[in-house]
Amino acid sequence: MLLEIMMICSLTQTAPFYDCSEQWQIQVYNQPVTCDVGTQILAAGCTNFESKTIKIYDYAMNNYGKDPEDGFTVLEHELEHLKCMCNFHS
């Protein structure tokens, strides 16, 4: 079940230090999220460039801590996808 939706804008280096011409939704759920990575899988989080959405499982975001492999929380891991616009999975 969807718990909440947050909107984010791009951060920039110049005033006003944000750009809302492209907005992304962060959708927070109370169960693992369904991600399409060629096949449907349940995951702690996923990013979709076409719909400009990030899905996050609330329990994972608040209780998993940082991944020992990449040092990111679930949300930080998904935000890294936005920085490089890549479809990596660590």
Side-chain angles (χ1 to χ4, degrees):
M1 181 167 104
L2 182 64
L3 297 178
E4 69 179 288
I5 296 176
M6 297 173 271
M7 298 299 291
I8 60 172
C9 300
S10 299
L11 299 177
T12 65
Q13 298 286 347
T14 56
F17 306 106
Y18 62 90
D19 175 6
C20 288
S21 64
E22 181 173 297
Q23 293 184 338
W24 282 73
Q25 282 189 11
I26 300 176
Q27 301 173 349
V28 182
Y29 292 83
N30 67 350
Q31 73 247 358
V33 296
T34 302
C35 301
D36 187 3
V37 291
T39 60
Q40 296 287 320
I41 63 166
L42 289 179
C46 56
T47 300
N48 185 306
F49 291 104
E50 290 178 21
S51 63
K52 295 183 170 56
T53 57
I54 299 171
K55 295 179 181 179
I56 300 290
Y57 174 29
D58 181 56
Y59 178 83
M61 186 168 61
N62 291 313
N63 295 297
Y64 285 1
K66 293 188 181 257
D67 186 319
E69 289 185 26
D70 60 21
F72 297 128
T73 64
V74 174
L75 180 57
E76 289 169 337
H77 175 93
E78 296 308 320
L79 291 173
E80 284 295 307
H81 288 291
L82 301 183
K83 287 170 57 178
C84 66
M85 292 197 69
C86 52
N87 188 20
F88 64 88
H89 298 279
S90 316

